[in-house]
Amino acid sequence: FKRLELVDSSEDELMEMGDTFNRMIDLLESNYKKQEQFVSNASHELKTPLTVIEGYANLLKRKGLDRPDLFRESIDAIHSEAIRMKEMTERLLLLARDREKWHVDWELLDLLEIAEESAKAFRNAYGRDVYTETEESVIGYADKNLLRQLLFIFLDNARKYSDEPIVIQVGHSHAVGWIRIIDRGIGIPFEDIPKVFDRFYRVDPARSRKSGGAGLGLSLAKEIADAIGARIDLESREGVGTTVTVSLRETRV
Ligand code: ADP
């Protein structure tokens, strides 16, 4: 990209045009760099599980037939790394897609019902204690599928970064319905809170990787929330836990 060299000229309009042109070049350049960074980060993240899979496949090839213990370990590792890659690829595909292409099916939803369904699905999938604390039904306006995906991301983080039961609350303030997910886990250090919504950002990459994270969950959550006009508030204290509140659009339709 080449910027224009502006020589001091008496033509104000010309100077202004030159300035606008240079600002456009800066914007293009920064978008290009972001794109480049995204591709490079994505390739790096995908390479890690592939390397593990390759290592175990090699081990199986050499010793798999005579060592049943190695056989089991290798299959388990290959399986879990493949799941991790699949989830990461799905998230990357969603993040790379144009926002305009997201299909949003607006409808009035019973938020308590959605929270209970999500809790049940999560209990069944991970055997983790997740319960809803609210009994009152609240109506919200959103896309059911996208809202479920959003809740799944927060529940998944609560599962990865805490061992205690996870609580879901549902409520409303005026015409705005909200769903809140509370964990009593490791929490997020104060200075990291503004950064956790950035793509590929992890507070502790080693720990996060072990639990299967590539730092994509919250950035995808932000995209989904934008698509359904929801707001995300994250409060967290290191060593105490994390609370995420998803507030939906006003329910006046
Ligand atoms: P990841 O897939 O690595 O969990 P996310 O984008 O979902 O990526 O989250 C970014 C980082 O924020 C995580 O790596 C983790 O350090 C931190 N984080 C997110 N949610 C929680 C939580 N509930 N408790 C503690 N730390 C969290």
Side-chain angles (χ1 to χ4, degrees), residues 61-104:
K61 235 166 90 179
R62 284 187 287 115
K63 303 188 178 154
L65 288 179
D66 331 311
R67 297 273 309 271
D69 55 326
L70 278 186
F71 190 81
R72 188 76 256 158
E73 183 192 327
S74 311
I75 294 290
D76 286 349
I78 289 174
H79 187 223
S80 69
E81 292 295 318
I83 292 176
R84 183 175 138 73
M85 274 190 80
K86 191 171 147 216
E87 189 193 285
M88 211 190 296
T89 317
E90 277 162 7
R91 288 185 169 180
L92 284 169
L93 282 173
L94 285 172
L95 281 172
R97 199 159 59 176
D98 242 350
R99 178 89 50 77
E100 284 83 62
K101 300 214 179 97
W102 287 61
H103 180 74
V104 184

Side-chain angles (χ1 to χ4, degrees), residues 159-176:
R159 166 188 75 85
K160 288 191 294 190
Y161 304 108
S162 81
D163 301 316
E164 308 267 324
I166 303 162
V167 176
I168 311 183
Q169 292 174 347
V170 177
H172 68 95
S173 57
H174 307 291
V176 177

Side-chain angles (χ1 to χ4, degrees), residues 101-138:
K101 300 214 179 97
W102 287 61
H103 180 74
V104 184
D105 252 336
W106 293 99
E107 59 177 315
L108 285 173
L109 302 167
D110 180 336
L111 300 189
L112 184 61
E113 197 181 292
I114 300 233
E116 276 171 349
E117 274 170 19
S118 303
K120 191 171 160 202
F122 218 76
R123 273 194 301 269
N124 290 339
Y126 296 102
R128 279 290 297 265
D129 195 4
V130 188
Y131 60 92
T132 42
E133 239 181 24
T134 320
E135 266 143 42
E136 184 196 4
S137 189
V138 176

Side-chain angles (χ1 to χ4, degrees), residues 132-159:
T132 42
E133 239 181 24
T134 320
E135 266 143 42
E136 184 196 4
S137 189
V138 176
I139 299 296
Y141 190 49
D143 175 302
K144 195 175 192 171
N145 232 333
L146 290 175
L147 181 59
R148 279 200 188 129
Q149 281 187 43
L150 192 57
L151 295 182
F152 182 87
I153 292 172
F154 299 128
L155 281 171
D156 203 35
N157 279 347
R159 166 188 75 85

Side-chain angles (χ1 to χ4, degrees), residues 196-242:
V196 289
F197 286 91
D198 294 348
R199 287 175 188 183
F200 301 105
Y201 189 81
R202 292 172 290 203
V203 175
D204 175 354
R207 175 177 177 135
S208 174
R209 216 200 92 70
K210 231 190 297 161
S211 55
L216 290 174
L218 291 182
S219 51
L220 182 58
K222 206 165 84 183
E223 294 286 322
I224 298 176
D226 282 350
I228 58 173
R231 189 185 132 146
I232 303 172
D233 290 292
L234 184 146
E235 290 165 63
S236 191
R237 271 185 68 189
E238 208 175 355
V240 179
T242 303

